[in-house]
Amino acid sequence: MSWWNFGRKKIDRADFVEAFLQKNQKEIPAIRSIAQLEFTVFDTETTGLSVKDDYILSFGAIKILNQAIKLETALELYPNSPNSGQKTAPIHGLIQRENQLTIKEFAAQSLAYFGNSILVAQHISFDTEMVQKAGKLFGLEQLPNPMIDTMTLA
């Protein structure tokens, strides 16, 4: 037993987290053409740049399948946040957000959308940490998906 988690309350995994992790147990075969892979390109807009103190205001994603961007898969989610994001509004332009989801609804929908696809984002570590922050409330420890940071491609 590690002393690191000593005194921390263990959070039971929600059913949607279990389903997400189960789906990700199937590994992507090592030798595969890029046309056979599924990618999820996503981005978050947040109340700031601190994973600890800030929150997701919006989440946008789209799938790439068979080397084509699938517009019909586009997804926009607006999780409810205790911080309005007014100080960052000049950066991201989000002033009013309609159809806000509870954090549980957001976590469930974003994880279901990710599935076992390869995640792609600019500065992906920040975006995934923010999504993981929402998922931790429901027992997600870490996103198991393979990831590509487009910053390394620039």
Side-chain angles (χ1 to χ4, degrees):
M1 180 168 133
S2 170
W3 62 271
W4 184 256
N5 290 324
F6 184 73
R8 290 189 184 175
K9 186 178 178 183
K10 181 167 171 55
I11 298 171
D12 290 331
R13 287 185 180 150
D15 291 343
F16 68 86
V17 172
E18 281 292 343
F20 170 71
L21 294 173
Q22 188 73 26
K23 192 171 202 174
N24 272 281
Q25 286 184 353
K26 183 180 177 188
E27 291 189 24
I28 298 171
I31 300 174
R32 197 170 248 211
S33 86
I34 198 165
Q36 296 174 306
L37 300 174
E38 177 182 343
F39 298 90
T40 299
V41 181
F42 76 103
D43 188 32
T44 62
E45 296 299 337
T46 63
T47 59
L49 298 175
S50 169
V51 174
K52 180 182 173 200
D53 298 324
D54 291 305
Y55 299 90
I56 296 174
L57 292 173
S58 74
F59 170 95
I62 196 160
K63 298 280 188 182
I64 299 176
L65 301 164
N66 300 316
Q67 296 180 306
I69 297 170
K70 301 297 185 181
L71 294 177
E72 65 275 10
T73 68
L75 176 70
E76 286 183 57
L77 301 174
Y78 299 96
N80 192 4
S81 165
N83 183 331
S84 68
Q86 290 300 321
K87 70 177 182 178
T88 54
I91 297 167
H92 50 62
L94 292 171
I95 298 169
Q96 287 186 306
R97 299 175 300 138
E98 295 181 15
N99 303 322
Q100 291 184 33
L101 303 171
T102 66
I103 198 70
K104 184 175 185 177
E105 292 169 328
F106 168 74
Q109 288 183 35
S110 60
L111 294 180
Y113 189 83
F114 283 162
N116 66 344
S117 65
I118 299 167
L119 305 181
V120 181
Q122 181 80 359
H123 299 291
I124 197 166
S125 62
F126 177 75
D127 289 322
T128 55
E129 292 242 3
M130 294 302 283
V131 172
Q132 286 173 175
K133 178 181 174 180
K136 279 184 182 176
L137 299 170
F138 308 102
L140 178 69
E141 294 173 22
Q142 185 173 347
L143 291 168
N145 304 63
M147 299 177 197
I148 298 173
D149 191 337
T150 59
M151 182 64 184
T152 62
L153 303 175

